């Protein structure tokens, strides 16, 4: 609703129904609260994904990520909103970087590593946009639907909507 720096501890405590003393027993300030929330969410995502990294396909992996985000929707909306912590969004993107790049290298075997890095940068930004749109829509679509859409766009581009790969661009 507003930037973090505009939120007062008293205001937050009134909304949460806790005393300021209770708040300060656990957190040094609003930023400490946010950091702990983000650390908890990051740890939860990492723990949930660990068993899936080697065995699961990309859609299963993506579905589980979207499920975790939906389970933590209130926190995600706060941390990933326009007023949220941009560093946290970057941390989430970097969490799966190596795994995703390995998946892409296996899928696009003859593509140079530098191009895979650019592809990951492009895709991760698109996924963040997709997440924000999903949040804005109230997360009404199932996590598996969003995961399939993301995966389809990643692998087929606009062809995901027509059932065929996109036409090659002409020129040169």
């Amino acid at each position: 609703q507003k930037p973090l720096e505009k939120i007062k501890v008293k205001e937050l405590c009134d909304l949460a129904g806790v005393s300021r003393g209770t708040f300060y027993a656990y957190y040094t300030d609003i930023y400490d609260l946010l950091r702990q929330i983000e650390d908890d969410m990051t740890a939860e995502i990492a723990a949930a994904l660990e068993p899936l990294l080697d065995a699961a396909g990309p859609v299963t992996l993506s579905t589980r990520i979207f499920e975790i985000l939906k389970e933590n929707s209130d926190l995600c909306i706060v941390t990933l909103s326009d007023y949220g912590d941009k560093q946290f969004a970057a941390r989430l993107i970097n969490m799966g970087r190596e795994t995703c790049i390995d998946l892409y290298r296996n899928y696009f075997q003859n593509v140079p590593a530098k191009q895979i890095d650019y592809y990951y940068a492009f895709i991760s930004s698109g996924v963040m946009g997709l997440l924000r749109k999903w949040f804005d829509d109230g997360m009404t679509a199932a996590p598996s639907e969003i995961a399939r859409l993301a995966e389809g766009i990643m692998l087929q581009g606009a062809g995901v909507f027509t059932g065929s790969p996109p036409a090659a661009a002409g020129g040169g």
Side-chain angles (χ1 to χ4, degrees), residues 18-29:
V18 299
S19 71
R20 287 176 42 157
T22 300
F23 177 89
Y24 285 114
Y26 294 95
Y27 312 105
T28 56
D29 56 23

Side-chain angles (χ1 to χ4, degrees), residues 43-56 61 64 68 95 99:
E44 182 180 348
I45 290 171
L49 295 181
E50 188 65 35
L52 299 175
L53 291 179
D54 293 328
L61 195 59
R64 186 62 192 126
I68 292 166
M95 262 182 79
T99 301

Side-chain angles (χ1 to χ4, degrees), residues 147-166:
R148 280 192 304 277
L149 176 62
E151 194 70 22
I153 292 169
M154 285 180 214
L155 300 177
Q156 299 173 5
V160 72
F161 301 114
T162 62
S164 61

Side-chain angles (χ1 to χ4, degrees), residues 2-3 8 13 18 33 39 49 64 68 76 87 90 94 96 117 124 132 134 142-144 166 168-169:
K2 61 183 173 179
K8 305 290 182 217
C13 289
V18 299
L33 168 65
D39 287 349
L49 295 181
R64 186 62 192 126
I68 292 166
C76 287
Q87 296 295 326
N94 286 327
D117 287 341
S124 60
R132 285 193 181 101
W134 189 45
S144 59

Side-chain angles (χ1 to χ4, degrees), residues 5 10 14 18 31 43 45 50 54 71 79 83 94 99 103 109 112 119-120 127 129 137 139-140 154 170-171:
E5 62 270 7
K10 181 183 180 337
D14 290 345
V18 299
Y31 298 99
I45 290 171
E50 188 65 35
D54 293 328
E71 290 163 8
T79 56
Y83 298 123
N94 286 327
T99 301
L103 286 170
Q109 293 182 2
Y119 180 74
Y120 181 78
V127 168
D137 288 349
M139 297 178 147
T140 54
M154 285 180 214

Side-chain angles (χ1 to χ4, degrees), residues 42-80:
T42 302
E44 182 180 348
I45 290 171
L49 295 181
E50 188 65 35
L52 299 175
L53 291 179
D54 293 328
V59 174
T60 303
L61 195 59
S62 298
T63 298
R64 186 62 192 126
I65 292 169
F66 285 110
E67 287 170 350
I68 292 166
L69 295 174
K70 187 168 186 169
E71 290 163 8
N72 293 283
S73 62
D74 291 344
L75 301 176
C76 287
I77 290 167
V78 169
T79 56
L80 298 174

